[in-house]
């Protein structure tokens, strides 16, 4: 072999070794091969600490998730963003989740485990001062946020108190700021709101008072995770890691409330005291319980009966529990 040929082979070998070293050095993220990272856009809202802390404290990165958070005013808006592929994964209450799976190729793949009495008590109903009890709601204008479960909550609450839905007027509104102004001005007579920030704001209205809360009804608001079925089929292992990341984050925020409050203030300017009030009432425990299933089933029946869902479907066909069963097998029911 000539000296020139040998030198050429040596140079090529060195180049290959150098490239290999560089790829090895650059191809890791918290011990995970970057080639196996799942890059996703996740719908978020400004009052939910789970996704923000998961991103800030490295839980997503630890589990091989490259997450971009896309902020919306409500979870329902985030779920609707799936339709235009603005996000890949969203979370929300039963109503927007069922609406989404009834219209497209999506699946609910986990529940946050927040359908509890304590969480329900944070949904407060504020009414004008002249409304002393449920009977006084007859003939009144009742607010609901469009695209949410609140019409269902009104229906259940009114039935409990002997009032037919046809005996009130439901007024759809775009957000809680609009609701606040309308209640103050007397354009509506009652509204449901959630969370310490809104509860404190509405409680300060001289024109209104708290009349009830959702824990006084049988309604429990499940919160689920939803994605396109193709994403679930193509990336099952990565989504299992996503669920583990969210569960670890929930444990972390409950154990570090002050740090979580600081993160929420830095990221979205949520008052620290509001975060500290809300955290103990909404611990996420990723899984899928019978309570989560029953909540979806009851809400679906209402939506089909009232024509909100035009074409009925089998709920089990829209649930994909394989991922959460692999992540947390002791927290998942068997579908019948």
């Amino acid at each position: 072999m000539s000296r020139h040929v040998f030198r050429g082979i040596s140079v090529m070998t060195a180049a290959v070794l150098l490239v290999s070293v560089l790829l090895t050095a650059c191809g890791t993220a918290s011990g995970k091969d970057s080639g196996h990272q799942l890059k996703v856009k996740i719908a978020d809202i400004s009052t939910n600490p789970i996704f923000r802390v998961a991103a800030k404290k490295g839980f997503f990165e630890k589990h091989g998730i490259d997450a971009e958070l896309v902020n919306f005013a409500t979870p329902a808006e985030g779920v609707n963003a799936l339709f235009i592929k603005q996000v890949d994964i969203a979370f929300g209450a039963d109503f927007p989740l069922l609406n989404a799976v009834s219209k497209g190729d999506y699946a609910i793949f986990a529940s946050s485990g927040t359908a509890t009495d304590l969480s329900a008590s944070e949904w407060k109903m504020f009414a004008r001062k002249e409304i002393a009890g449920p009977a006084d709601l007859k003939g009144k204008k009742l607010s609901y946020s469009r695209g949410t479960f609140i019409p269902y909550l009104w229906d259940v609450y009114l039935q409990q108190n002997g009032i037919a839905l046809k005996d009130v007027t439901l007024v759809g509104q775009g957000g809680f700021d609009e609701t606040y102004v309308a209640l103050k001005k007397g354009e509506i007579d009652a509204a449901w709101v959630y969370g310490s920030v809104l509860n404190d704001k509405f409680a300060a209205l001289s024109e209104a008072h708290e009349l009830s809360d959702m824990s006084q009804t049988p309604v429990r608001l499940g919160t689920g995770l939803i994605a396109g079925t193709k994403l679930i089929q193509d990336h099952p292992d990565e989504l299992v890691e996503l669920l583990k990341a969210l569960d670890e984050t929930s444990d972390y925020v409950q154990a570090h409330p002050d740090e979580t409050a600081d993160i929420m203030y830095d990221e979205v300017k949520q008052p620290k005291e509001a975060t500290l009030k809300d955290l103990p009432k909404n611990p996420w425990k990723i899984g899928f319980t019978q309570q989560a299933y029953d909540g979806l089933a009851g809400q679906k029946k209402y939506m089909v009966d009232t024509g909100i869902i035009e074409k009925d479907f089998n709920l089990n066909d829209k649930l994909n529990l394989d991922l959460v069963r692999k992540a947390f097998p002791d927290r998942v029911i068997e579908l019948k």
Side-chain angles (χ1 to χ4, degrees):
M1 182 181 295
S2 72
R3 183 179 300 172
H4 293 297
V5 172
F6 179 77
R7 284 177 179 172
I9 293 174
S10 298
V11 170
M12 289 175 63
T13 302
V16 169
L17 288 172
L18 178 60
V19 170
S20 177
V21 169
L22 288 172
L23 286 174
T24 300
C26 298
T28 58
S30 296
K32 300 244 181 209
D33 184 345
S34 64
H36 293 126
Q37 275 202 325
L38 176 64
K39 185 176 179 64
V40 289
K41 292 183 178 180
I42 302 175
D44 199 8
I45 59 172
S46 60
T47 56
N48 172 37
I50 300 298
F51 298 141
R52 294 184 192 281
V53 174
K56 185 78 173 178
K57 300 302 295 183
F59 290 106
F60 281 140
E61 185 180 10
K62 172 186 173 183
H63 287 273
I65 305 298
D66 181 2
E68 176 185 343
L69 304 184
V70 184
N71 205 52
F72 296 91
T74 65
E77 289 184 11
V79 174
N80 289 338
L82 288 168
F83 297 146
I84 56 173
K85 302 189 184 304
Q86 191 176 354
V87 297
D88 304 299
I89 296 169
F91 82 107
D94 296 340
F95 187 105
L97 296 183
L98 290 164
N99 184 54
V101 298
S102 74
K103 294 179 178 177
D105 199 11
Y106 305 101
I108 299 164
F109 64 95
S111 169
S112 69
T114 53
T116 64
D117 293 350
L118 185 59
S119 180
S121 70
E122 279 296 281
W123 276 97
K124 310 286 188 186
M125 192 246 286
F126 290 93
R128 298 278 297 178
K129 287 287 190 182
E130 58 270 23
I131 296 173
D136 296 331
L137 292 171
K138 190 172 182 179
K140 296 297 192 291
K141 295 179 180 179
L142 311 181
S143 170
Y144 74 95
S145 299
R146 299 184 188 96
T148 71
F149 81 110
I150 295 177
Y152 173 61
L153 176 56
W154 274 126
D155 193 23
V156 172
Y157 178 80
L158 292 170
Q159 282 188 43
Q160 272 188 305
N161 291 283
I163 304 171
L165 197 59
K166 64 180 178 59
D167 292 331
V168 302
T169 300
L170 293 184
V171 180
Q173 298 181 305
F176 289 118
D177 288 340
E178 182 182 344
T179 302
Y180 176 84
V181 173
L183 187 61
K184 183 178 177 65
K185 291 182 175 180
E187 296 169 353
I188 59 171
D189 298 293
W192 294 93
V193 299
Y194 176 80
S196 60
V197 172
L198 286 170
N199 287 334
D200 290 347
K201 181 177 180 178
F202 277 72
L205 278 173
S206 60
E207 300 85 356
H209 67 121
E210 181 184 331
L211 189 63
S212 187
D213 68 65
M214 195 168 76
S215 70
Q216 306 305 308
T217 79
V219 177
R220 295 294 175 268
L221 185 60
T223 300
L225 293 163
I226 185 172
T229 54
K230 188 176 189 308
L231 180 70
I232 294 172
Q233 290 167 357
D234 291 350
H235 300 281
D237 294 338
E238 292 90 339
L239 290 178
V240 168
E241 292 301 314
L242 172 73
L243 295 177
K244 291 178 180 179
L246 296 179
D247 202 66
E248 284 184 29
T249 304
S250 179
D251 289 343
Y252 188 88
V253 301
Q254 294 299 323
H256 301 84
D258 291 318
E259 183 182 1
T260 300
D262 288 337
I263 290 172
M264 292 299 287
Y265 181 78
D266 291 342
E267 296 271 330
V268 295
K269 295 298 180 278
Q270 174 162 282
K272 295 179 184 179
E273 60 272 18
T275 301
L276 293 172
K277 283 183 182 179
D278 287 341
L279 273 181
K281 298 172 183 176
N282 295 284
W284 281 31
K285 190 176 180 66
I286 299 295
F288 200 88
T289 64
Q290 188 63 47
Q291 195 170 27
Y293 185 89
D294 291 344
L296 281 166
Q299 181 89 40
K300 182 177 85 74
K301 183 180 184 307
Y302 169 81
M303 294 173 76
V304 171
D305 289 348
T306 56
I308 297 171
I309 291 177
E310 295 179 0
K311 186 177 180 181
D312 198 3
F313 59 90
N314 187 321
L315 178 59
N316 291 12
D317 293 341
K318 296 297 185 175
L319 300 176
N320 187 324
L321 305 185
D322 292 342
L323 309 181
V324 71
R325 183 170 287 111
K326 185 173 181 180
F328 307 107
D330 59 333
R331 303 184 195 171
V332 186
I333 61 168
E334 291 291 337
L335 296 178
K336 300 175 182 177

